[in-house]
């Protein structure tokens, strides 16, 4: 429905912008701390709990550091934290079996946070890249990233995370069939309320570079991820992926990266009306933090405007490395 717009001067669209109070009343979309999911990097490798050079202001943390981070996030009102492990290159294998060990760093951190900060939701990542000698999200056999064998491994990984106490499983691997396989193993093991936030429309993006430094996968990765992640030139395909993942049992869906793909967020929300999230990924963080650090962009406005854009595009929430800082800025506003 188009509003009726009588000609000037009856209509002066600036009237509703003429004071802060009127601007507040007329504001269509708002960002709240309740829309934020905070991704953190965890490690048990001695000496690795340092700042990630390509992500200024973001450091890997130990198990104790992760518990402190969860306490801080809960104190700020952030509803969920998301865990990404940095692993020792020496423990990476072709078969990635540490991915489903109950005692890997992710599963230990899940149990520690659950014990200390039960109110915060814990999201995990399901993909083999932190444990894979090839740096890929899937198992590599004769140079091919094999789908069905990878799904079997991912199901073991997801079940181990659910057993440790994860609330939200985040399959980020882009294999076909993994949502249905995960949902059936969760049901079969009485994890009825464990949710799945599917990285449904995940593009083969250059913007993941700093993340791969953070999890130690940059050096390992052989080739690219274009046989499983999406072609940046597509958006109809994103709708097919979302429809497929919802039909297999995803509770929520994600578009990733975020800012370069806001059109996809809008299309997904309009087509399905389901809980829709975007990931403001490491490269977006690096761009913004780099410009802020150089004094080229103003810190507060950059963080809040970049995040509000996701709400306007139709997202219910956003994964962002700026989460604690955004929470503080929103509390001050
Ligand atoms: C791993 C994974 C990636 C990200 C989240 N999970 C990297 C990749 O697919 O190579 C990227 C997150 C970011 O860049 O912040 N499957």
């Amino acid at each position: 429905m188009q509003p009726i717009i009588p000609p000037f001067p009856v209509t002066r669209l600036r009237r509703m912008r003429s004071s802060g109070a009127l601007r507040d009343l007329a504001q269509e979309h708002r960002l709240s701390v309740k829309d934020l999911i905070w991704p953190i990097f965890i490690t048990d490798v001695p000496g690795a709990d340092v700042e990630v050079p390509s992500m200024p202001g973001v450091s890997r943390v130990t198990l104790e550091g992760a518990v402190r981070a969860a306490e801080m996030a809960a104190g700020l009102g952030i509803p969920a934290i998301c865990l990404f492990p940095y692993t020792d290159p020496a423990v990476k294998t072709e078969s990635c079996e540490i991915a489903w060990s109950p005692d890997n760093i992710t599963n230990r951190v899940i149990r520690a946070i659950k014990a200390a900060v039960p109110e915060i939701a814990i999201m995990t990542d399901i993909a083999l890249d932190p444990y894979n000698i090839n740096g890929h999200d899937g198992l590599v056999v004769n140079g091919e990233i094999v789908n069905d064998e990878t799904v079997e491994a991912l199901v073991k990984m997801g079940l181990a995370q659910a057993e440790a106490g994860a609330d939200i499983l985040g399959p980020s691997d882009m294999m076909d069939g993994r949502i249905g396989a995960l949902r059936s193993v969760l049901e079969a093991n009485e994890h009825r309320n464990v949710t799945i936030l599917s990285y449904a429309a995940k593009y083969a993006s250059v913007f993941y570079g700093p993340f791969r430094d953070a999890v130690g996968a940059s050096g390992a990765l052989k080739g690219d991820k274009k046989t499983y992640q999406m072609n940046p030139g597509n958006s109809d395909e994103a709708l097919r992926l979302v429809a497929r993942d919802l039909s297999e049992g995803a509770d929520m869906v994600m578009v990733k990266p975020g800012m370069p793909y806001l059109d996809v967020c809008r299309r997904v929300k309009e087509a399905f009306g389901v809980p829709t999230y975007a990931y403001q990924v490491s490269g977006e963080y690096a761009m913004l933090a780099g410009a802020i650090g150089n004094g080229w962009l103003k810190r507060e406005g950059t963080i809040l405007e970049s995040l509000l854009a996701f709400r306007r595009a139709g997202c219910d929430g956003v994964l962002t490395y700026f989460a604690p800082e955004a929470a503080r800025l929103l509390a001050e506003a």
Side-chain angles (χ1 to χ4, degrees), residues 41 55 84 125-130 137 172-173 199 202 207-212 221 225 229 256 279-283 321:
F41 299 108
M55 298 183 73
F84 290 100
D125 188 61
I126 303 184
L128 301 177
D129 51 335
D137 294 12
S172 71
D173 54 283
Y199 287 63
K202 175 169 176 179
F207 290 102
Y208 308 148
F211 172 97
R212 292 178 192 164
L221 183 61
K225 300 193 176 184
Q229 299 180 346
K256 175 182 176 198
Y279 199 141
Q280 184 182 53
V281 298
S282 57
Y321 301 98

Side-chain angles (χ1 to χ4, degrees), residues 159-227:
L159 181 60
Q161 294 168 349
E163 310 262 87
D167 303 282
I168 305 171
L169 303 185
S172 71
D173 54 283
M174 289 294 282
M175 298 297 123
D176 287 318
R178 86 271 207 225
I179 302 298
L182 276 167
R183 180 53 73 205
S184 16
V185 86
L186 291 172
E187 284 293 323
N189 289 276
E190 304 195 4
H191 292 298
R192 299 192 180 105
N193 284 334
V194 172
T195 59
I196 300 177
L197 199 180
S198 173
Y199 287 63
K202 175 169 176 179
Y203 288 85
S205 174
V206 74
F207 290 102
Y208 308 148
F211 172 97
R212 292 178 192 164
D213 299 338
V215 300
S218 305
L221 183 61
K222 297 185 179 72
D224 58 48
K225 300 193 176 184
K226 291 180 183 169
T227 67

